[in-house]
Amino acid sequence: MSQLFSRVSKNLTSFPTRSLSSRRSNFSTVIPPYLLLGSDVVGDSPCGGKLVDFNLYDPKTLKQVKIENQTLPKQLNESKWIGSSRGCRVSKNPSSFPTRSLSSRRSNFSTVTPPYLLLGSDVVGDSPCGGKLVDFNLYDPKTQKQVKIENQTLPKELNESKWIGSSRGWLASMNKNDSTVHLSNIINPLKKTITLPPLTRDKFEHLVNVSVSSSDCCVVAVKFYGSRVSLCRLGDSEFVERFTDKGEAAPWGDTSYDNNKEGLCKKTHKIMVFRQDEEQGLGPHTDDIGDLCIFLGDNEAFCLSAKDYPGLNPNSVYFGGHGFGFGICDLATRTISYLSGSPPPSGRMFWIPPSSA
């Protein structure tokens, strides 16, 4: 069986990196009136409280919605809601009679997320555990709209860190001070942050991406430009260096440039998909990958079936990268359409595959 992979032409002009927090964006945060139907405790928070999914009804759309993985402080353990006023809910801790906890029985709300493109993040406060409360700014290619996941808790281990790669739903970050690597899942915070040893590298050495061997993250590989790969298993005390035989594949294609208020930005001009045979190696390029969609960015590339995710364009490549903006390439017509008219974010962009809690 042949496998599909693709190459994107990119100019290697360096850009300054951003920390985990980007500048505040203009995303709308006004919410409609909601009817609270119930809540489901889905886990424990690092601070001793609870992670809760709130089940709501939106009278504007006449649909049920869910706000997931919200942190309730430990003071509300063993409490029940007794009232609500001006957006604030009042709880009482009973001492003389049995009650139900804040959690009702698990509902049948769907928790499978679409693929998202991480555009950036805004630090909005401090968490009780010494970490940060962060709003993640995302792009949903199914609806072609920008969305926001608000008030997510990043552990204190990620303070002073920057994102360096993404694979199988895990985002990898590296501490700016001691080069310690951490893996976290911003879509499913029930997965605990994984701490790995410091990553040894020259300050001028450019890191390309991170790959994990499975969703359980047994082996982690960090790829650099050139032939160097650093490997680490969970529990190892250090990364082990390996060097590939073939080195770095030479980029090809053309890149166009646009001037904008933020300065010079790159534009992807052409994307080609090749078939790769395990025995014969690289084969001819193809304009037909069926109903598949390929997601390319500063993440490890992955494929999805458009049939499984209505709204996605089949036989297409969704792309996004540092300084390139983000868009979609229709392989049949060989046309590229950008999905946002605004200047691209100045930091790295990662496609995050669908996840379920």
Side-chain angles (χ1 to χ4, degrees):
M1 295 293 293
S2 62
Q3 298 177 338
L4 293 169
F5 75 96
S6 58
R7 295 178 178 175
V8 183
S9 64
K10 292 186 178 180
N11 187 291
L12 301 182
T13 303
S14 60
F15 285 79
T17 58
R18 290 191 303 174
S19 66
L20 294 182
S21 169
S22 64
R23 65 180 186 272
R24 290 291 294 178
S25 62
N26 294 322
F27 287 79
S28 173
T29 58
V30 178
I31 63 173
Y34 283 131
L35 174 65
L36 177 62
L37 303 177
S39 56
D40 303 319
V41 174
V42 296
D44 297 322
S45 75
C47 304
K50 299 295 181 182
L51 292 176
V52 176
D53 291 350
F54 288 105
N55 306 320
L56 308 168
Y57 178 80
D58 182 352
K60 292 179 60 179
T61 61
L62 303 179
K63 294 181 180 180
Q64 291 178 332
V65 296
K66 173 175 283 194
I67 300 179
E68 298 178 325
N69 298 313
Q70 300 301 295
T71 300
L72 288 183
K74 62 181 179 181
Q75 293 87 342
L76 270 62
N77 292 352
E78 306 300 328
S79 296
K80 67 173 184 178
W81 301 125
I82 61 174
S84 174
S85 176
R86 298 180 182 271
C88 297
R89 292 190 60 81
V90 183
S91 63
K92 178 181 179 181
N93 194 319
S95 59
S96 60
F97 54 90
T99 64
R100 292 188 303 168
S101 68
L102 294 180
S103 169
S104 64
R105 69 179 183 273
R106 289 291 293 179
S107 62
N108 292 323
F109 285 81
S110 174
T111 59
V112 177
T113 66
Y116 283 129
L117 177 65
L118 177 61
L119 301 177
S121 56
D122 303 318
V123 174
V124 296
D126 297 321
S127 74
C129 302
K132 300 295 182 182
L133 293 176
V134 176
D135 291 349
F136 288 106
N137 305 320
L138 309 167
Y139 179 83
D140 181 354
K142 291 178 58 180
T143 61
Q144 297 190 18
K145 293 181 179 180
Q146 292 177 336
V147 297
K148 176 176 285 193
I149 300 180
E150 299 181 323
N151 296 313
Q152 299 299 296
T153 300
L154 286 183
K156 62 182 179 181
E157 292 85 358
L158 271 63
N159 293 350
E160 304 299 326
S161 296
K162 65 177 181 179
W163 302 125
I164 59 173
S166 175
S167 175
R168 299 181 185 269
W170 292 98
L171 275 170
S173 62
M174 185 173 64
N175 188 279
K176 297 178 182 178
N177 299 319
D178 60 11
S179 298
T180 302
V181 177
H182 294 91
L183 299 176
S184 56
N185 191 310
I186 66 171
I187 303 299
N188 186 358
L190 294 181
K191 293 186 176 181
K192 295 183 178 180
T193 297
I194 297 173
T195 301
L196 298 172
L199 185 63
T200 303
R201 70 183 184 111
D202 186 274
K203 65 179 180 179
F204 299 108
E205 194 171 20
H206 187 75
L207 191 152
V208 178
N209 201 0
V210 174
S211 177
V212 300
S213 60
S214 69
S215 58
D216 294 330
C217 189
C218 298
V219 180
V220 180
V222 181
K223 180 71 174 67
F224 295 85
Y225 274 125
S227 59
R228 178 187 167 191
V229 178
S230 294
L231 302 172
C232 179
R233 295 175 298 183
L234 294 186
D236 286 353
S237 59
E238 61 182 9
F239 278 88
V240 177
E241 293 188 6
R242 294 289 185 269
F243 293 89
T244 60
D245 296 331
K246 297 181 180 180
E248 186 71 20
W252 69 272
D254 299 322
T255 303
S256 60
Y257 296 84
D258 285 342
N259 286 311
N260 57 58
K261 295 180 180 180
E262 300 293 330
L264 193 66
C265 70
K266 296 173 285 186
K267 292 286 186 178
T268 300
H269 181 65
K270 185 187 299 182
I271 295 177
M272 295 181 68
V273 178
F274 292 81
R275 294 188 178 276
Q276 186 179 29
D277 187 272
E278 294 182 357
E279 296 181 355
Q280 299 180 0
L282 184 64
H285 77 272
T286 178
D287 294 329
D288 185 7
I289 58 174
D291 73 329
L292 291 180
C293 306
I294 300 175
F295 291 82
L296 292 175
D298 294 309
N299 54 283
E300 182 181 43
F302 62 90
C303 292
L304 295 176
S305 170
K307 293 180 181 179
D308 296 334
Y309 298 92
L312 295 180
N313 292 334
N315 196 35
S316 297
V317 177
Y318 288 84
F319 63 90
H322 189 179
F324 283 85
F326 55 98
I328 178 173
C329 174
D330 186 302
L331 294 177
T333 61
R334 301 183 182 180
T335 57
I336 289 180
S337 304
Y338 277 83
L339 300 175
S340 174
S342 59
S346 58
R348 306 181 75 183
M349 289 188 286
F350 307 95
W351 289 102
I352 302 173
S355 175
S356 59

